[in-house]
Amino acid sequence: MTSPADLIPVPRAVQGSPHGGVVLDGDTTLWAAPGTGTTERWLRSTLGAALGLGLPPGPRDARDCVRLLVDDTLGPEAYRLSAVAHRGVEIRGGDPAGVFWGAQTLRQLLGPHAFRRAPVRPGAGHAVPHRIIEDAPRFRWRGLLLDVARHFLPKEAVLRYLDLMAAHKLNVFHFHLTDDQGWRIEIKRYPRLTEVGSWRPRTKFGHRASPLWEEKPHGGFYSQDDIREIVAYAAERHIAVVPEIDVPGHSQAAIAAYPELGNTDVIDTTRLSVWDTWGINPNVLAPTDTTLRFYEGVFEEVLELFPADAAPHTGFSRFVHIGGDECPRDQWRRSPAAQARMEELGLADEDALQSWFVRHFDTWLTARGRRLIGWDEILEGGLAPGAAVSSWRGYAGGTAAVRAGHDVVMCPEQQVYLDHRQDGGPDEPVPIGYVRTLEDVYRFEPVPSEFTPEEGAHVLGAQANLWTEVTEDQARVDYQAFPRLAAFAEVAWSALPAPGERDFADFARRMEAHYGRLDALGVGYRPPEGPRPWQRRPGVLGRPIDGPPPHR
């Protein structure tokens, strides 16, 4: 057994030799068995373009060819890659996704130039070292949330992040599309959601206590064809896209577009605009039939745009995220209409009213073959059996969900919120939250040690969340995401020891090679020695929290 070279995520087993290997050059052919079409296309369009190789079809037994096949003796998403002199490169996957993940490993073995968009050594041969690698993921759900509501990212930036996810074997893209500060998805029956709700006249620059404002309009949205393209692009990379439409809180952009959705008997909702600052917003949806019918119409279009079978290998394309978090009840307490609704339904309090709201869409989605997932606040009042929970307020929500029989995705803010600062130094741009270093993320453990094996089986996996209140463009997103997303990817994919026993020094050594790949991809990551001068944000107020974060 040899060292797993510089691969990230680290594979389960690697054998190899410093001698031999396979050279890919202009004569290399590609043989692809049925079921491997996504990887075949990716190898030609991405890896072939980077290396200047056509990879034309050829016979299975061609010398030094690349062979792809599905092998049902391997597990879901598992793969076996062998690169042996005179026998070529063979990637076997337990399913089409496994073949694709094996191709991502092949790319890493070829070096940083394999991560470019065009060849930097035209006509050169490209050596694949002698390796036999056997690998499989620890978790089925290996997710990244990208918030495009607070700061919009153009479609091309979203597609780029899908490529970055694929390069790290992440397979669930949580697409946070709506919030108080913007509505980002075209809904044809409700055009004002994007005509009005997709832009704001100005934006708070920094934390909500900052005195600074960016005095220019900010906005944007994805057309329905943009969404279809994003979903199809993700599916080609075996990534499931889980859309989030926030209800009943985080909804001021929708209320600004359609004032009848708000609590009109408490405030003049016609005076509301898309919110231009951060925090928990008091303006929430009214618990009326009008609101329910409106959002049923929204979700009908969402289900068409995000088909349940888009990425069938995981089953996660069935999920729709409804938010459900940070919903202040004060307007409901003051609203005669909301109080009458509670009396009509026999509800004890406003907490029960939110539970009723969530359960309505739980039932509605279930009747259409979908599964609801929401932030851990949706547990309050009980859930239908098929609903799942994103545990963000530490581990407690996930623990409660599991013990109530629900599946859970672990994404505690104290551990894997990538908008939190990476260092305590004064040069860290817009410092938010706890210090979460690369090593801290590497020692994140999604399954609490007290879980029984049966309870652990309810942990679908883990997710890193990247909120964009103070992350205003792609460069800032890159800085917050990387290199920590690489550490998170290894936690989600690899069978690592307990957190205290993990070899971070070895991971840091492998990262030295991985920085070269990120450079080739044009990722503006945070260097180990600290931010570059142009990555700093002097004078922009943040919200740092001192001390170590809680672990429960």
Side-chain angles (χ1 to χ4, degrees):
M1 189 75 64
T2 67
S3 164
D6 297 315
L7 300 174
I8 291 177
V10 66
R12 296 195 174 200
V14 180
Q15 298 177 4
S17 165
H19 308 292
V22 179
V23 174
L24 306 184
D25 57 24
D27 296 325
T28 301
T29 58
L30 174 61
W31 179 85
T36 65
T38 54
T39 303
E40 179 185 13
R41 289 188 290 274
W42 181 86
L43 283 171
R44 290 201 176 101
S45 65
T46 302
L47 193 61
L51 303 179
L53 303 179
L55 299 176
R60 181 175 182 174
D61 59 354
R63 179 187 175 97
D64 286 344
C65 75
V66 177
R67 296 184 297 278
L68 310 175
L69 62 158
V70 174
D71 182 345
D72 60 11
T73 66
L74 301 173
E77 298 190 89
Y79 68 89
R80 184 178 190 273
L81 184 153
S82 61
V84 180
H86 310 306
R87 292 168 53 189
V89 176
E90 180 177 278
I91 302 174
R92 293 174 175 264
D95 53 16
V99 179
F100 185 72
W101 304 134
Q104 301 308 308
T105 298
L106 172 63
R107 189 188 197 186
Q108 291 197 16
L109 290 172
L110 283 160
H113 53 276
F115 289 78
R116 297 190 178 273
R117 296 195 181 191
V120 295
R121 297 177 180 83
H126 304 280
V128 184
H130 179 116
R131 291 286 185 274
I132 298 175
I133 299 173
E134 296 183 356
D135 203 6
R138 179 186 178 192
F139 292 109
R140 292 170 52 214
W141 185 301
R142 306 179 300 279
L144 171 68
L145 176 145
L146 190 57
D147 169 22
V148 296
R150 274 54 176 269
H151 277 101
F152 179 69
L153 284 176
K155 179 195 69 178
E156 287 301 319
V158 174
L159 299 179
R160 174 177 176 268
Y161 258 80
L162 291 170
D163 281 329
L164 290 171
M165 289 178 65
H168 293 84
K169 299 184 175 72
L170 299 173
N171 70 340
V172 180
F173 178 54
H174 181 159
F175 205 7
H176 183 77
L177 288 162
T178 73
D179 218 294
D180 300 301
Q181 296 85 3
W183 185 285
R184 306 296 180 211
I185 178 172
E186 178 188 27
I187 302 296
K188 290 188 179 295
R189 75 185 71 183
Y190 304 127
R192 287 177 59 83
L193 286 172
T194 45
E195 291 171 359
V196 174
S198 70
W199 71 278
R200 55 185 184 261
R202 67 174 189 168
T203 301
K204 176 67 71 172
F205 193 50
H207 181 249
R208 60 181 175 269
S210 168
L212 304 176
W213 293 88
E214 188 177 41
E215 297 286 353
K216 67 178 184 180
H218 176 87
F221 66 92
Y222 309 103
S223 72
Q224 294 204 346
D225 280 347
D226 289 338
I227 294 291
R228 292 186 181 99
E229 180 183 357
I230 288 166
V231 171
Y233 195 85
E236 277 283 301
R237 285 145 185 80
H238 299 276
I239 296 171
V241 183
V242 176
E244 180 176 353
I245 306 294
D246 244 317
V247 295
H250 289 287
S251 298
Q252 183 162 317
I255 298 169
Y258 291 92
E260 65 271 22
L261 298 175
N263 294 282
T264 57
D265 55 349
V266 175
I267 62 165
D268 181 1
T269 56
T270 64
R271 299 174 65 108
L272 292 177
S273 59
V274 177
W275 213 24
D276 57 12
T277 189
W278 321 121
I280 298 176
N281 190 305
N283 297 305
V284 302
L285 297 174
T288 63
D289 287 340
T290 296
T291 301
L292 296 181
R293 299 293 88 76
F294 182 96
Y295 274 88
E296 286 171 2
V298 168
F299 282 120
E300 283 176 6
E301 295 193 26
V302 167
L303 297 193
E304 189 272 326
L305 294 170
F306 296 87
D309 60 354
H313 71 284
T314 62
F316 297 143
S317 297
R318 291 179 54 211
F319 281 98
V320 176
H321 206 292
I322 56 88
D325 63 315
E326 296 182 329
C327 179
R329 276 63 153 181
D330 183 63
Q331 288 186 353
W332 291 348
R333 293 186 184 97
R334 295 187 289 123
S335 165
Q339 293 300 309
R341 194 70 193 249
M342 288 168 52
E343 184 175 356
E344 171 197 338
L345 296 168
L347 301 177
D349 54 25
E350 290 77 17
D351 291 352
L353 185 61
Q354 172 157 344
S355 177
W356 165 82
F357 199 105
V358 169
R359 287 183 69 96
H360 173 87
F361 287 103
D362 192 351
T363 302
W364 190 91
L365 289 166
T366 299
R368 288 155 181 81
R370 296 304 190 97
R371 288 186 69 183
L372 179 145
I373 185 168
W375 304 110
D376 52 57
E377 287 97 325
I378 70 171
L379 283 166
E380 298 160 7
L383 283 175
V389 169
S390 302
S391 184
W392 76 276
R393 296 179 299 175
Y395 290 85
T399 299
V402 163
R403 290 178 175 163
H406 296 286
D407 289 337
V408 65
V409 175
M410 288 294 191
C411 50
E413 64 168 331
Q414 303 91 339
Q415 313 300 326
V416 287
Y417 268 33
L418 299 184
D419 49 313
H420 282 211
R421 57 194 172 133
Q422 302 183 64
D423 188 84
D427 289 334
E428 206 63 29
V430 199
I432 297 295
Y434 295 103
V435 172
R436 293 286 83 193
T437 66
L438 182 64
E439 181 171 359
D440 291 330
V441 174
Y442 190 66
R443 297 193 189 281
F444 165 58
E445 173 50 50
V447 181
S449 58
E450 67 269 20
F451 274 17
T452 66
E454 293 75 19
E455 289 171 335
H458 277 290
V459 179
L460 297 175
Q463 182 170 290
N465 295 343
L466 211 170
W467 303 100
T468 61
E469 288 92 337
V470 299
T471 308
E472 68 273 10
D473 55 29
Q474 178 176 290
R476 290 282 294 117
V477 172
D478 278 5
Y479 181 91
Q480 293 301 128
F482 288 99
R484 293 182 297 180
L485 192 62
F488 171 81
E490 183 150 310
V491 168
W493 175 277
S494 304
L496 299 178
E501 300 169 10
R502 293 176 189 171
D503 189 348
F504 178 72
D506 177 70
F507 175 78
R509 179 194 61 77
R510 287 182 284 117
M511 275 302 303
E512 290 303 314
H514 201 64
Y515 288 124
R517 300 175 191 130
L518 296 178
D519 286 332
L521 287 166
V523 176
Y525 57 86
R526 181 189 190 277
E529 62 273 13
R532 297 181 171 96
W534 58 87
Q535 293 175 317
R536 300 167 188 164
R537 291 293 186 276
V540 183
L541 184 65
R543 185 184 60 91
I545 303 175
D546 293 328
H551 282 269
R552 286 291 177 266

